[in-house]
Amino acid sequence: MERERQPERKEVNSWIVCDGDIDPEWVESLNSVLDDNRLLTMPSGERIQFGPNVNFLFETHDLSCASPATISRMGMIFLSDEDIDVGALVKSWLRRQPDECRSNLENWLGDYFQKALNWVLKQNDFVVETSLVGTVMNSLSHLNAVNERGQFIIGLLRGMGGNLNIKTRHELAKELLSWARESPPDARKPLDTYYDSVNGQLAAYTFQHPEDLTLDQFFHTHMLPVIETTGTQRGLHGFSPWLTTQHRQPFMVVGPEGCGKGMLLRYAFSRLRSTQVAVVHCSAQTSSRHVLQKLSQTCLLLSSNTGRVFRPKDCESLVLYLKDINLPKPDKWGTSNLTAFLQQVLTYKGFYDENLEWVSLENIQVVASMSTGGAVSSHALTSRFSSIVRICTIDYPNREQLQTIYSAYLQPVLQHSLGNQAAWATIGKTHQLAGFFVQLYEQIKTKFTVDDHSHYLFTPCILTEWVLSLLRYDLTSAALHRTSDVIRCSLDR
């Protein structure tokens, strides 16, 4: 039987906000509500009458899937990047800074921020599509409580260059340092510069030789030791400020497949105190349901004076790490259930459960990683989501760094395999052998490309496999000499 509900009291103005993608499957049923009669007919036959004091607001970034019948019933307000007042965003951010830093930050922002932002927008060489607001907030994220000019310049470089391709990031570093009249310690590598707070000046990253590497660290590939090359240190400093308790923010680490994103994140997580990490390995079928399952396993659902809340179970903080966040397959209307859910969680600090009860999240940080370069089965993220997370781009190590990394890996492996014949396990010999490995890897990568076959994808991970595979054999110094001669001859060809 049909039943009609009474309208809300006329003196109460109500707004129903629909924040998210619009697709015909749900919005078409609201057409009658958006008409003058304001009548909603439910699938059960029940009718709900809305009064003139009830209004609908749709917040979305795209109307490509909405029908003319829906669009013609609404007024539209288009907010473009040209309408954004960057100065207002910066002033709002400044008000949240400590009093002792605010004056200097205001001066430095006036000198360099808008100039650098204009340069970056002109280049338009972003790794992940984002909005102007996303770029501005990314730039400001490394400047919290900065009180030294050199520290400000390096922070601005890391924040504003975090979502740029490596060549453009290199040019930005030269431009920023030139405007600030600062000379990098190594003019050829301006990106390998950090601010030394002890000495109060710019300094260059130096290789930190690992100590006490043991063979036990190589038996589990997901626990391999991190070799702190200059590129590794630069990558860690690119996102470490977002993990600090005071300035914790959601972020993504982005880079080509096999560049070491997961290893760097694991290393950074291991240095956090009283923090648990919950990992969700994304696939084409991953949805919000899998995230909720992980939260239920690692958090307690409690009742507080503000309602129900998820809090970490066995620690103070929880990092929810979503690996390969761009793999979940969107529906036929282009909406990813996972990113839509995460967008709600990050924007409103909670979500509605299956009973339509609001559940807040406390002390839970969302971290994600994704591969770039058009990886198989990957999908583009919406700019609405990428705008509310910070972005740090990681690149492949160069030849010098690869040789340094695998020289360090080879040393304990060869010491174990050669025993008392460990002359080949000295630093000089392992560095030479690692150089042969890297040259062979580069030639194979050049010869066999994904243009020939899709599975011809060679990353530094294969170098790790080559090193670890030496553990399968009974090696001798003579065998290694012969192996190096074979590699050298193949490289000469």
Side-chain angles (χ1 to χ4, degrees):
M1 180 180 293
E2 295 184 359
R3 183 166 60 90
E4 190 170 309
R5 289 188 179 180
Q6 295 299 315
E8 294 280 353
R9 290 177 296 169
K10 294 182 178 180
E11 65 273 14
V12 178
N13 287 314
S14 300
W15 288 88
I16 299 175
V17 181
C18 301
D19 185 357
D21 294 350
I22 291 179
D23 64 65
E25 289 188 0
W26 65 269
V27 78
E28 289 289 332
S29 61
L30 296 179
N31 284 349
S32 60
V33 183
L34 302 175
D35 282 335
D36 292 337
N37 59 19
R38 294 176 175 268
L39 185 66
L40 174 64
T41 302
M42 304 295 287
S44 62
E46 181 180 5
R47 290 182 177 180
I48 302 175
Q49 179 68 56
F50 290 87
N53 57 329
V54 179
N55 301 281
F56 281 80
L57 177 63
F58 300 89
E59 184 179 353
T60 187
H61 76 292
D62 191 285
L63 289 171
S64 59
C65 296
S67 68
T70 299
I71 296 175
S72 62
R73 286 173 162 83
M74 295 184 288
M76 283 191 291
I77 300 175
F78 175 65
L79 297 177
S80 67
D81 281 347
E82 288 76 10
D83 299 319
I84 302 299
D85 187 351
V86 174
L89 288 174
V90 173
K91 287 179 181 178
S92 174
W93 175 83
L94 265 175
R95 285 196 291 269
R96 299 191 295 272
Q97 297 304 302
D99 294 338
E100 62 273 17
C101 305
R102 196 174 301 162
S103 178
N104 283 334
L105 280 172
E106 188 173 7
N107 292 332
W108 296 329
L109 286 167
D111 291 338
Y112 305 112
F113 188 84
Q114 190 62 52
K115 189 175 182 180
L117 180 62
N118 292 339
W119 188 92
V120 167
L121 295 177
K122 184 179 179 181
Q123 304 304 312
N124 194 26
D125 192 27
F126 298 110
V127 178
V128 179
E129 182 185 357
T130 187
S131 67
L132 175 61
V133 173
T135 303
V136 170
M137 300 313 295
N138 218 65
S139 305
L140 296 173
S141 63
H142 281 273
L143 305 179
N144 289 296
V146 166
N147 52 17
E148 297 291 341
R149 183 171 173 273
Q151 186 183 12
F152 175 88
I153 296 300
I154 297 303
L156 184 60
L157 171 61
R158 289 174 182 161
M160 196 161 285
N163 190 23
L164 296 177
N165 284 300
I166 183 66
K167 289 183 178 179
T168 307
R169 207 181 323 152
H170 185 273
E171 293 300 319
L172 174 63
K174 293 196 296 185
E175 293 287 341
L176 263 177
L177 292 168
S178 173
W179 297 338
R181 296 181 181 179
E182 295 277 359
S183 298
D186 188 345
R188 297 172 303 167
K189 301 176 181 178
L191 286 175
D192 290 343
T193 305
Y194 72 99
Y195 181 75
D196 185 353
S197 57
V198 176
N199 298 315
Q201 62 184 14
L202 299 185
Y205 290 118
T206 56
F207 170 57
Q208 304 294 321
H209 197 278
E211 297 180 1
D212 302 325
L213 282 184
T214 63
L215 196 64
D216 293 339
Q217 296 171 285
F218 291 83
F219 287 135
H220 302 284
T221 55
H222 64 283
M223 295 296 290
L224 290 174
V226 173
I227 310 301
E228 292 199 28
T229 62
T230 57
T232 300
Q233 295 173 66
R234 186 175 71 237
L236 285 170
H237 285 167
F239 62 79
S240 292
W242 302 326
L243 286 169
T244 59
T245 304
Q246 188 176 1
H247 305 297
R248 187 167 288 161
Q249 299 180 59
F251 68 90
M252 288 195 305
V253 177
V254 181
E257 190 170 339
C259 69
K261 302 182 293 295
M263 179 179 284
L264 281 183
L265 284 169
R266 172 180 54 78
Y267 181 65
F269 295 155
S270 68
R271 299 193 293 183
L272 299 176
R273 293 183 177 180
S274 189
T275 301
Q276 183 179 354
V277 180
V279 184
V280 177
H281 295 270
C282 298
S283 67
Q285 287 74 40
T286 304
S287 67
S288 58
R289 178 171 54 86
H290 299 89
V291 175
L292 291 173
Q293 288 175 350
K294 184 65 69 172
L295 289 175
S296 299
Q297 294 167 4
T298 54
C299 297
L300 295 173
L301 185 57
L302 306 172
S303 296
S304 67
N305 55 358
T306 58
R308 298 203 302 164
V309 59
F310 262 135
R311 288 179 184 155
K313 185 181 296 184
D314 302 316
C315 55
E316 293 180 6
S317 302
L318 174 71
V319 172
L320 179 64
Y321 172 40
L322 296 109
K323 184 177 173 62
D324 296 318
I325 194 174
N326 58 337
L327 288 187
K329 186 178 180 181
D331 62 19
K332 62 182 178 180
W333 309 112
T335 299
S336 169
N337 174 274
L338 176 65
T339 53
F341 172 75
L342 291 174
Q343 183 175 327
Q344 181 189 46
V345 166
L346 296 177
T347 303
Y348 302 103
K349 313 302 181 187
F351 61 93
Y352 286 102
D353 65 9
E354 64 274 8
N355 299 317
L356 297 183
E357 293 186 28
W358 182 254
V359 180
S360 301
L361 301 184
E362 288 186 7
N363 299 327
I364 298 174
Q365 181 181 13
V366 176
V367 177
S369 65
M370 60 175 278
S371 297
T372 58
V376 178
S377 302
S378 63
H379 306 278
L381 299 179
T382 66
S383 58
R384 291 197 74 201
F385 177 75
S386 61
S387 298
I388 59 176
V389 296
R390 309 287 75 83
I391 300 172
C392 175
T393 303
I394 304 294
D395 302 288
Y396 284 131
N398 59 29
R399 176 185 292 188
E400 179 184 351
Q401 293 170 4
L402 284 174
Q403 189 170 356
T404 300
I405 292 170
Y406 290 100
S407 173
Y409 276 15
L410 277 168
Q411 207 163 356
V413 170
L414 293 182
Q415 284 176 346
H416 169 78
S417 300
L418 296 175
N420 57 5
Q421 302 177 350
W424 255 96
T426 61
I427 294 177
K429 290 291 187 180
T430 54
H431 194 71
Q432 181 184 0
L433 184 59
F436 291 154
F437 276 30
V438 172
Q439 289 182 57
L440 182 61
Y441 159 73
E442 289 180 341
Q443 289 196 9
I444 290 175
K445 187 176 179 181
T446 303
K447 178 70 175 178
F448 303 99
T449 68
V450 291
D451 295 332
D452 300 323
H453 297 284
S454 59
H455 65 280
Y456 284 175
L457 179 63
F458 294 95
T459 70
C461 295
I462 198 171
L463 280 167
T464 304
E465 294 175 5
W466 290 353
V467 171
L468 297 182
S469 66
L470 295 177
L471 293 170
R472 305 174 190 166
Y473 304 97
D474 295 327
L475 298 178
T476 63
S477 296
L480 277 177
H481 274 292
R482 289 195 299 271
T483 302
S484 63
D485 290 339
V486 170
I487 294 175
R488 187 185 295 109
C489 290
S490 63
L491 291 174
D492 291 340
R493 293 177 187 173

